[in-house]
Amino acid sequence: MEQIETLVIGAGAVGLAIAATLSEYNDVIIIEQNSRFGEHTSSRNSEVVHAGIYYPTDSLKTQLCVTGKALLYKHCQRYHVPVHKIGKVLISSNEHETAKLHTLVKQAKNNGVSDLQFLSPIELANRAPQTKAVAGVWSPSTGIVDSHQLMLSYLNKLSEHNGHYVSNTQFISAQFDGLQFIVTLNCDGELFNIKCKTLINAAGLFAQACAQKIDALAPNYIPALHYCKGQYFSYQGRHPFKHLIYPMPEQHGLGIHATLDLAGQLKFGPDTEFISHLDYSPNIKAKTHFVNAIIKYWPQLDSERLQISYSGIRPKLQKYGSQDFIIQDHTTHGVAGLINLFGIESPGLTASLAIAKLVTNMLKLK
Ligand SMILES: Cc1cc2nc3c(=O)[nH]c(=O)nc-3n(C[C@H](O)[C@H](O)[C@H](O)COP(=O)(O)OP(=O)(O)OC[C@H]3O[C@@H](n4cnc5c(N)ncnc54)[C@H](O)[C@@H]3O)c2cc1C
């Protein structure tokens, strides 16, 4: 039976960042069930490099977003990944929201994001033209990144260090013998066993399903999973925005905000909808909700130019309240060499390299 030091399940941005980083120290294989990497959440998101403003100060999300952002910008420069520190404007549309904006600025400062600035009315009109805002805050460290090129750069780093990426290979189960895992994989329809000392479950929306197939892991360490769909509408034609425009956050997401891709295409979203099955199909009925949300801050929206686009699904661990990433090692679940990543929703793309660094530290490789 083939033996490897580390097996990573799932070639999304997070699994690839982990595999690329661990390959500096170790033999690594990363497997992907699909024929191409990153086809789930990692290619169905806003591609925003988040500053780290919103999350509670002592959360993993804050810690990993703030350090991940710096690591990501550095990595993108080194690997020539298209990225643009385009900046974003957070806007409030009434006095109540302005109070929330002040709270967010304080929150950001506590999180180590001390570059936010309140904009004067003239600056606000320049940075967020045509918007109906009573106050605005500028976040200069927010950016946009090409998520596909980012994942490709992680793959390149992995192969530079002689790590391996195998597609069309599905994790089926793992038996732990106290020292290592005997992992069963389905490679293009054929079952195959491989031994590894370290098993990293970075399967995103399938992380809970994979965890259930690891015999030594007690079920009480596997959190519930709720699919929360986020849909986007793209805006055809000319628009006045050069920066990202974010209204005040909603309960399960950051609100229907305006983002740009690296080609300058404007899109709006994502909204939030809990669904029972993994289903990315677009829902045109959401258009009215989008129009109502957007005209609150951009009254000149031409709704005819809004076209239904793609959707992504957040791996929520609960339906209500804020939640953090869960990254478990043996100190939590008692299984030596096993790391599970659950609930890696936003800002997982931004945080991917910091998550990889945390996993490296958990494995005491550094
Ligand atoms: C609507 C939306 C908007 C977002 N916007 C942003 C943003 O602007 N900025 C940001 O930083 N973050 C954002 N995020 C979060 C970010 O996209 C995710 O945190 C990140 O992509 C998660 O990556 P991942 O590798 O954990 O998961 P995934 O990308 O889902 O990858 C998991 C991989 O595992 C594979 N897999 C699953 N099961 C198996 C198996 N049994 N065997 C082999 N392979 C398997 C899957 O096929 C998949 O390719 C957003 C998320 C959503 C949903």
Side-chain angles (χ1 to χ4, degrees):
M1 195 185 305
E2 211 181 309
Q3 168 111 34
I4 184 92
E5 183 68 37
T6 303
L7 182 91
V8 181
I9 310 167
V14 172
L16 286 167
I18 294 171
T21 304
L22 292 182
S23 67
E24 291 181 49
Y25 309 95
N26 240 320
D27 294 343
V28 180
I29 292 185
I30 178 165
I31 56 161
E32 169 53 50
Q33 63 185 355
N34 292 333
S35 57
R36 282 180 298 199
F37 61 84
E39 285 191 328
H40 284 280
T41 315
S42 297
S43 56
R44 297 173 163 276
N45 56 63
S46 305
E47 298 189 298
V48 172
V49 182
H50 285 296
I53 298 168
Y54 303 93
Y55 325 104
T57 303
D58 55 0
S59 64
L60 270 182
K61 280 188 179 176
T62 291
Q63 193 191 315
L64 298 172
C65 183
V66 174
T67 47
K69 171 183 64 174
L71 292 171
L72 191 82
Y73 282 130
K74 209 166 144 192
H75 172 92
C76 288
Q77 197 175 16
R78 163 138 192 234
Y79 284 86
H80 308 290
V81 177
V83 68
H84 187 180
K85 227 186 246 187
I86 188 175
K88 95 172 169 189
V89 188
L90 294 103
I91 55 172
S92 64
S93 55
N94 55 46
E95 290 312 316
H96 173 68
E97 286 191 359
T98 304
K100 273 195 186 169
L101 204 51
H102 280 274
T103 312
L104 271 185
V105 172
K106 258 192 222 147
Q107 176 70 48
K109 216 173 237 164
N110 291 340
N111 291 357
V113 183
S114 47
D115 56 0
L116 299 191
Q117 303 150 23
F118 269 94
L119 295 170
S120 70
I122 292 176
E123 288 168 332
L124 181 56
N126 280 335
R127 294 234 159 104
Q130 297 183 9
T131 57
K132 193 174 150 203
V134 297
V137 163
W138 173 241
S139 166
S141 70
T142 302
I144 47 177
V145 64
D146 181 328
S147 55
H148 183 79
Q149 291 297 324
L150 178 66
M151 289 189 272
L152 208 53
S153 72
Y154 292 156
L155 263 186
N156 289 341
K157 182 170 173 185
L158 176 73
S159 65
E160 265 168 37
H161 293 100
N162 303 315
H164 300 280
Y165 160 63
V166 195
S167 58
N168 292 317
T169 299
Q170 188 177 38
F171 169 84
I172 300 292
S173 63
Q175 272 78 50
F176 185 58
D177 68 7
L179 283 178
Q180 54 190 347
F181 299 89
I182 299 171
V183 178
T184 304
L185 304 175
N186 182 339
C187 308
D188 267 332
E190 264 183 53
L191 292 184
F192 175 87
N193 286 337
I194 184 169
K195 281 186 185 169
C196 66
K197 283 199 179 134
T198 304
L199 180 64
I200 315 238
N201 173 7
L205 292 161
F206 306 83
Q208 278 83 344
C210 290
Q212 280 159 9
K213 300 289 174 164
I214 301 169
D215 68 346
L217 183 68
N220 54 307
Y221 294 111
I222 307 174
L225 171 66
H226 304 277
Y227 299 134
C228 183
K229 192 167 176 178
Q231 186 160 295
Y232 294 85
F233 278 76
S234 61
Y235 192 75
Q236 305 306 310
R238 284 160 65 91
H239 62 79
F241 304 125
K242 291 197 174 62
H243 310 291
L244 311 182
I245 311 287
Y246 276 56
M248 285 298 95
E250 292 174 347
Q251 199 196 358
H252 296 295
L254 296 182
I256 295 183
H257 44 265
T259 53
L260 298 164
D261 66 16
L262 286 150
Q265 162 84 56
L266 177 65
K267 61 178 183 276
F268 292 92
D271 62 354
T272 55
E273 182 195 0
F274 282 96
I275 52 172
S276 53
H277 296 97
L278 216 132
D279 173 12
Y280 292 115
S281 55
N283 172 14
I284 187 66
K285 287 191 190 141
K287 185 164 176 179
T288 314
H289 173 57
F290 269 73
V291 171
N292 290 339
I294 300 163
I295 55 171
K296 272 193 202 151
Y297 60 90
W298 189 32
Q300 293 181 38
L301 166 81
D302 176 355
S303 60
E304 295 294 306
R305 297 216 217 147
L306 267 189
Q307 307 262 324
I308 190 123
S309 188
Y310 63 97
S311 66
I313 298 177
R314 305 166 183 90
K316 289 274 180 199
L317 305 179
Q318 59 200 40
K319 284 198 173 176
Y320 304 100
S322 72
Q323 65 171 53
D324 204 0
F325 296 158
I326 294 185
I327 305 179
Q328 304 169 334
D329 67 0
H330 69 283
T331 58
T332 305
H333 52 56
V335 185
L338 173 66
I339 297 201
N340 287 313
L341 296 102
F342 296 115
I344 312 296
E345 52 165 353
S346 192
L349 192 65
T350 309
S352 51
L353 286 167
I355 294 174
K357 210 169 163 188
L358 175 68
V359 168
T360 308
N361 291 340
M362 283 172 151
L363 295 172
K364 301 211 178 341
L365 294 173
K366 212 170 180 184

